[in-house]
């Protein structure tokens, strides 16, 4: 079997083909332009490198309800040319193979659970903190879907009393995680790109406070054995100890198994390919189900 992966991002599309041991045989990256410009190039890649099943890990939100008329479509997105785009139906129709679609972060959670930082564990949460904030949830062998899929970036937080921008930047909600802790929110709050802020800037204490609130919510709801934090902003690795200490402080000793968050709150092992490897694993699942 040959498996195909498409990691569909707002900036770039990463495509790969792998054998059944998931060794990558070919790989390509394309800029995300309009669907009319980008989709034919992606289809051409999979025609040049034929696969038996395809996994797509995509930016969203996505309609993942198999009973919905819009199943497999991107729904609302700031990338306006992709609003309502039927991503899964187009690949299914054009390639005629089993295809499966999930969120980029659910794909990343799957990769970490099956091959990475959460290997062998029952539950994990993968969070990306980048241009947006999103989380994938792996729960007892399954990726969580339901009404939609997790939209953890929009959980509501308590603003820090010293935050000069407590409303955040989300156009939909005051004080949501993405609005308070994404890369663009850091830039808006401090007037400098997150990448350029020094490691000892007060921005990181605030950031850790918000990400720790998210970790506490994850621990209290999903009961993950690992919380994996990835995305561009986590390139500031000094955040990890700050988030761990703040999570312990906010937990207040309430969860007895959490004595030490050193092994609980960790970077991804598959970085920067968590989403791509997860998409290959989705393809493998789809290929095996079709047999
Ligand atoms: P995307 O979310 O678009 O897929 P990234 O995960 O790279 O891409 O996130 C981009 C965001 O992360 C930008 O807002 C950028 O300022 C921020 N970022 C990237 N690298 C760093 C870094 N080393 N330190 C802090 N912020 C960073
Ligand atoms: Zn929001």
């Amino acid at each position: 079997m040959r498996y195909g992966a498409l990691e569909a991002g707002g900036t770039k599309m990463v495509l790969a083909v792998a054998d059944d041991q998931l060794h990558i045989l070919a790989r390509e990256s394309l800029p995300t332009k309009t669907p009319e410009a980008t989709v034919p190039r992606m289809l051409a890649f999979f025609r040049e490198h034929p696969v038996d099943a395809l996994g797509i890990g995509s930016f969203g939100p996505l309609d993942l309800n198999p009973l919905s008329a819009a199943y497999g479509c991107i729904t609302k997105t700031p990338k306006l040319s992709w609003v309502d785009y039927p991503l899964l139906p187009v690949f299914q129709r054009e390639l005629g193979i089993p295809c499966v679609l999930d969120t980029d972060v659910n794909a990343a959670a799957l990769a970490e659970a099956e091959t990475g930082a959460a290997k062998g564990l029952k539950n994990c949460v993968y969070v990306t903190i980048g241009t947006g904030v999103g989380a994938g949830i792996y729960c007892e062998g399954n990726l969580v879907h339901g009404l939609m899929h997790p939209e953890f970036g929009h959980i509501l937080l308590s603003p820090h009393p010293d935050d000069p921008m407590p409303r955040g930047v989300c156009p939909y909600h005051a004080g949501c995680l993405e609005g308070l802790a994404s890369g663009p929110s850091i830039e808006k709050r401090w007037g400098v790109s997150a990448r350029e802020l020094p490691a000892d800037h007060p921005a990181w204490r605030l950031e850790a406070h918000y990400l720790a609130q998210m970790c506490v919510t994850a621990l209290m709801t999903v009961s993950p054995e690992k919380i994996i934090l990835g995305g561009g902003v986590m390139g500031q690795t000094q955040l990890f100890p700050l988030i761990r200490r703040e999570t312990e402080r906010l937990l207040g000793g309430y969860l007895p198994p959490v004595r030490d968050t050193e092994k609980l709150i960790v970077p991804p092992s598959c970085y920067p390919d968590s989403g791509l490897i997860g998409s290959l694993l989705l393809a493998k699942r789809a290929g095996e189900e079709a047999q």
Side-chain angles (χ1 to χ4, degrees), residues 171-187:
Y172 296 95
H173 320 108
C176 75
L177 172 62
E178 179 170 294
L180 289 170
S182 62
S185 80
I186 300 170
E187 179 163 354

Side-chain angles (χ1 to χ4, degrees), residues 141-158:
N142 294 306
L143 294 167
V144 171
H145 310 110
L147 183 66
M148 241 173 85
H149 45 74
E151 277 290 330
F152 223 59
H154 298 274
I155 59 170
L156 303 178
L157 305 180
S158 302

Side-chain angles (χ1 to χ4, degrees), residues 32-284:
T32 304
K33 297 190 175 148
T34 61
E36 294 71 30
T38 311
V39 172
R41 293 184 65 190
M42 299 197 284
L43 291 169
F45 175 85
F46 289 115
R47 290 197 174 110
E48 190 185 333
H49 306 280
V51 294
D52 299 293
L54 176 68
I56 307 173
S58 176
F59 68 90
L62 305 171
D63 188 327
L64 296 178
N65 177 358
L67 302 176
S68 161
Y71 177 57
C73 296
I74 294 173
T75 60
K76 59 170 100 160
T77 162
K79 303 268 321 166
L80 293 180
S81 62
W82 292 85
V83 171
D84 295 332
Y85 187 75
L87 190 60
L88 181 66
V90 164
F91 278 85
Q92 256 165 348
R93 186 185 68 224
E94 294 296 322
L95 298 178
I97 53 169
C99 297
V100 60
L101 172 71
D102 213 320
T103 61
D104 45 5
V105 276
N106 259 352
L110 180 63
E112 296 295 336
E114 296 206 344
T115 70
K119 193 170 173 185
L121 302 178
K122 281 201 329 193
N123 286 15
C124 77
V125 174
Y126 178 98
V127 190
T128 180
I129 303 109
T131 306
V133 178
I137 301 178
Y138 175 92
C139 196
E140 301 192 35
N142 294 306
L143 294 167
V144 171
H145 310 110
L147 183 66
M148 241 173 85
H149 45 74
E151 277 290 330
F152 223 59
H154 298 274
I155 59 170
L156 303 178
L157 305 180
S158 302
H160 193 282
D162 300 336
D163 188 345
M165 196 186 70
R167 194 201 173 284
V169 297
C170 177
Y172 296 95
H173 320 108
C176 75
L177 172 62
E178 179 170 294
L180 289 170
S182 62
S185 80
I186 300 170
E187 179 163 354
K188 180 91 188 287
R189 183 182 287 113
W190 303 105
V192 191
S193 152
R195 206 188 284 269
E196 280 152 38
L197 284 170
D200 58 356
H201 192 280
W204 303 120
R205 203 172 44 85
L206 204 60
E207 182 73 5
H209 176 69
Y210 290 137
L211 295 177
Q213 287 192 47
M214 179 274 292
C215 289
V216 170
T217 298
L219 287 164
M220 299 301 191
T221 53
V222 183
S223 214
E225 294 149 297
K226 291 275 176 199
I227 298 176
I228 301 152
L229 304 181
V233 172
M234 294 311 298
Q236 301 281 334
T237 52
Q238 78 280 6
L239 275 171
F240 279 96
L242 294 176
I243 296 166
R244 291 181 186 125
R245 293 301 84 78
E246 185 67 354
T247 301
E248 290 162 16
R249 190 183 73 79
L250 293 174
L251 281 172
Y254 186 77
L255 292 182
V258 184
R259 271 194 212 95
D260 167 5
T261 51
E262 201 69 30
K263 296 204 176 98
L264 180 68
I265 300 172
V266 297
S269 302
C270 306
Y271 186 80
D273 282 338
S274 308
L276 193 69
I277 294 168
S279 300
L280 285 172
L281 290 165
L282 287 173
K284 192 164 186 219

